[in-house]
Amino acid sequence: MAEIKKKPGEQAKQDEHPGKQAKEAPQPRSVRVVMMALMVTILLAMLDNMIVSPAMPTIVGDLGGMEHLSWVVTAYMLATAASTPIWGKLGDMYGRKGVFLTSIVIFLLGSVLSGMAQDMGQLIGFRAVQGLGAGGLMVGVMAIIGELVSPRERGKYMGMMTGVMAVAMIGGPLVGGTITDHLGWRWAFYINLPLGAVALAMVTAVLHLPKKKAEGRIDYLGAALLTVGISSLVLVTTWGGTEYAWTSTVIMELIAIGVVALISFVIVQKKAAEPILPLHIFRSLNFTLMSVIGFITGFVMFGAMLFLPLYQQAVQGASATNSGLLLLPMLLSMMVVSFFSGRFTTSTGKYKIFPIAGTVLMVIGLFLLSQMDTDTSRFTSGLYMAVLGAGMGCLMQITMLVAQNSVEMKDMGVASSSATLFRTLGSSFGVAIMGALFNSRVEDTMSERGGALGGKVTEQSAQLDADSLSKLAAPVRDAYQHAVSAGTHSAFLLGAVIGVAALIAAFFVKEVPLRGSGPKDSEPKDSESKGSDSGGEKLAEDVAGDAAPGPRDAVAEAV
């Protein structure tokens, strides 16, 4: 970049207030355009499962293979979880733009092939391809934002990302149902193409990041062991209590394989020249704590997203469509609080209050939700959901922000992918464990209240919507509503107990200055802040005029 000459004394004057200068500097227009492209990509990643879920009955009716239906979702989840850390490492080694664009292309290819599938086997295979690409979408977005924007400024984009996620959660099922009814289930996959094309065009045209050439080789053994370990854990949480009993041979074998693979992975990572998941990043207390909090956040959030609609349909008499809309109090609260927390962090550089406040609100919200019974009104349950949503809003993006601020710039990709992976694994465990507890309580309560007829109703509970429930005899319907209420109580009470662990972890978070937050950045006080600041110094060198153009310079020159 061309050097800008300054009047004598001007540089010294600016250096006296670096924090003020960083705070007031406007973002280049091209950065905002890149952010728009990244938000489109987040929408692409979040919408897919939300849109496909309503189409599943129609897909089975067309392709058959009801016995393999669960694999349509499982194959996607396995590929996404297993590839997430690998995408992050590839971005660190070879540059984020090329790796990110590759993940989008693979995702779109999988979408096209899934839409063209002629039988259930093909659909499962193509969904795995789609999941492979999906593993790089969210990680790529987070890592690129981490490279373009300092942690101090990054807070202002939190509300935007959470808003996009909320829109996907609310609108996805509605869009999926509409598309399936009017265009056919194949368009539930083809709808990804226009969104993906927009993201590809915008990222290609505007995003300019320095190219990298890794000196070491990819850690193929580590990647294989991590893939086996993660896949085993996901299969345990997916199959346990549904396809197979928790104590069955298959589940025990998967647990053993997963444990051995992950232990072997840790051993290999200590010796690898370019480890897939560098273990030194866990030396940062903040990074480790954010991984724990992120895991529990995923555990709680996706459990709530699963069981609240069940409760609303079975107990409060909502339709499938309305049960999605009734989640608005939680999602809107999450979006508003996330926006506020991001703005507050950007303006003050302070963030420790949000993990603490978020976990407190999360525990309170879960406890309140566990108190719902057959007489709880929609207004009351909406207030309880708003409390939980506020807690989620404090945690959703802060966990990623602090995790990224805890590592050097060279590890931005693996930090982003690790934070994403822990949240994904948390969601898998949350759905499985809370689901097992929910189902157990429903079965026990139905046996107590409904007798033999209650057992038959429990077997068909997955197909019981509001209309089906209205056709049941009053005693059976009453028994089922009490059963679902009891199951919901147990699931959310478990979530509240698990949430206490996140609250304890939040109190140990250190308020390490965010890079770009002023003079404190150059005054590390402990080993953790040194690790954090080294990334800031590297970024500062990239932006300096006498260095090779860095990511922000390149973006600023894009338009």
Side-chain angles (χ1 to χ4, degrees):
M1 293 179 65
E3 184 176 353
I4 300 175
K5 294 182 178 180
K6 298 178 174 61
K7 296 178 182 179
E10 184 178 351
Q11 180 65 47
K13 183 178 180 181
Q14 289 184 355
D15 289 342
E16 292 176 1
H17 305 285
K20 182 178 180 181
Q21 182 181 1
K23 180 179 176 181
E24 294 179 352
Q27 289 290 337
R29 181 166 63 90
S30 52
V31 171
R32 293 194 291 269
V33 176
V34 171
M35 290 301 165
M36 291 175 59
L38 297 181
M39 293 307 109
V40 172
T41 309
I42 289 179
L43 185 63
L44 188 68
M46 293 296 297
L47 268 179
D48 185 71
N49 270 333
M50 300 292 178
I51 289 179
V52 172
S53 294
M56 295 304 293
T58 307
I59 292 174
V60 172
D62 190 9
L63 300 181
M66 179 66 184
E67 67 276 13
H68 303 303
L69 177 63
S70 62
W71 271 104
V72 176
V73 176
T74 301
Y76 182 90
M77 288 178 56
L78 281 176
T80 300
S83 64
T84 292
I86 298 174
W87 283 114
K89 183 60 179 180
L90 290 175
D92 286 340
M93 293 178 66
Y94 299 107
R96 310 206 191 283
K97 180 177 179 179
V99 171
F100 183 53
L101 291 174
T102 301
S103 69
I104 296 177
V105 170
I106 293 176
F107 179 83
L108 294 180
L109 176 62
S111 299
V112 172
L113 293 174
S114 296
M116 298 171 62
Q118 299 302 308
D119 57 51
M120 191 61 76
Q122 290 182 10
L123 180 60
I124 291 169
F126 296 149
R127 282 284 283 170
V129 174
Q130 193 182 20
L132 185 64
L137 296 184
M138 191 66 74
V139 172
V141 168
M142 297 301 179
I144 289 172
I145 291 176
E147 190 161 331
L148 291 179
V149 186
S150 70
R152 175 69 175 265
E153 294 297 314
R154 207 174 300 156
K156 69 176 64 175
Y157 299 104
M158 292 179 184
M160 186 186 304
M161 289 186 283
T162 305
V164 171
M165 294 178 184
V167 168
M169 291 176 182
I170 297 170
L174 298 176
V175 173
T178 302
I179 288 176
T180 303
D181 291 340
H182 296 88
L183 298 176
W185 66 265
R186 298 183 187 276
W187 279 95
F189 298 103
Y190 294 152
I191 192 65
N192 293 326
L193 298 181
L195 285 175
V198 170
L200 276 175
M202 294 177 71
V203 171
T204 302
V206 181
L207 180 62
H208 296 272
L209 294 175
K211 294 183 178 180
K212 300 178 183 178
K213 187 176 181 180
E215 297 179 359
R217 297 178 57 189
I218 298 175
D219 179 18
Y220 293 106
L221 177 59
L225 289 171
L226 184 60
T227 299
V228 171
I230 292 174
S231 298
S232 299
L233 291 180
V234 173
L235 286 175
V236 167
T237 57
T238 303
W239 286 348
T242 54
E243 298 288 330
Y244 303 95
W246 285 103
T247 56
S248 66
T249 303
V250 173
I251 297 300
M252 292 297 104
E253 288 176 348
L254 284 173
I255 292 175
I257 291 172
V259 170
V260 171
L262 291 178
I263 292 175
S264 302
F265 170 75
V266 171
I267 295 173
V268 168
Q269 294 307 279
K270 292 181 178 180
K271 301 178 181 179
E274 284 288 348
I276 291 293
L277 186 59
L279 300 182
H280 67 79
I281 63 177
F282 291 98
R283 295 173 188 166
S284 165
L285 177 63
N286 272 5
F287 183 85
T288 302
L289 292 174
M290 288 303 110
S291 299
V292 172
I293 294 174
F295 179 92
I296 295 175
T297 301
F299 187 105
V300 168
M301 181 177 177
F302 285 89
M305 294 293 293
L306 174 64
F307 296 112
L308 280 173
L310 285 176
Y311 171 84
Q312 290 165 333
Q313 291 180 52
V315 179
Q316 296 183 329
S319 66
T321 300
N322 286 339
S323 66
L325 294 176
L326 289 173
L327 292 176
L328 275 174
M330 182 177 73
L331 298 175
L332 289 177
S333 175
M334 181 176 69
M335 182 171 61
V336 171
V337 173
S338 180
F339 178 81
F340 168 78
S341 64
R343 289 290 177 177
F344 181 86
T345 302
T346 296
S347 62
T348 66
K350 305 294 184 181
Y351 57 81
K352 182 173 180 177
I353 184 62
F354 294 110
I356 295 175
T359 50
V360 167
L361 289 171
M362 180 175 71
V363 171
I364 293 174
L366 288 166
F367 179 76
L368 291 174
L369 288 170
S370 73
Q371 303 306 302
M372 296 189 302
D373 55 27
T374 54
D375 296 323
T376 303
S377 67
R378 293 183 182 181
F379 177 78
T380 301
S381 61
L383 289 179
Y384 296 167
M385 284 188 280
V387 175
L388 177 60
M392 295 292 108
C394 289
L395 298 172
M396 283 292 291
Q397 304 303 332
I398 285 290
T399 51
M400 179 65 72
L401 171 65
V402 178
Q404 290 179 338
N405 191 61
S406 302
V407 301
E408 298 180 14
M409 188 63 67
K410 66 183 181 66
D411 293 322
M412 186 64 68
V414 293
S416 303
S417 63
S418 298
T420 304
L421 175 62
F422 280 109
R423 188 177 297 176
T424 300
L425 292 177
S427 67
S428 296
F429 278 86
V431 169
I433 297 175
M434 293 173 75
L437 186 59
F438 175 88
N439 291 332
S440 176
R441 283 301 305 274
V442 169
E443 291 175 2
D444 291 344
T445 306
M446 285 300 293
S447 297
E448 293 173 5
R449 288 178 169 265
L453 184 57
K456 294 181 180 179
V457 172
T458 305
E459 293 174 0
Q460 301 173 349
S461 60
Q463 288 77 41
L464 288 179
D465 52 19
D467 291 336
S468 300
L469 282 170
S470 64
K471 299 176 183 177
L472 294 176
V476 177
R477 182 172 65 251
D478 181 72
Y480 184 69
Q481 289 176 336
H482 278 86
V484 171
S485 178
T488 303
H489 167 79
S490 297
F492 284 122
L493 194 59
L494 172 65
V497 173
I498 298 295
V500 172
L503 175 58
I504 295 172
F507 276 103
F508 289 95
V509 174
K510 294 182 179 180
E511 188 94 74
V512 177
L514 295 174
R515 293 192 290 270
S517 60
K520 291 182 180 180
D521 282 355
S522 58
E523 301 174 3
K525 296 181 180 179
D526 54 30
S527 59
E528 185 164 3
S529 58
K530 287 179 183 179
S532 173
D533 286 336
S534 60
E537 291 167 5
K538 176 65 172 64
L539 187 57
E541 291 172 3
D542 287 343
V543 178
D546 58 339
R552 296 187 195 174
D553 290 332
V555 173
E557 291 179 334
V559 294

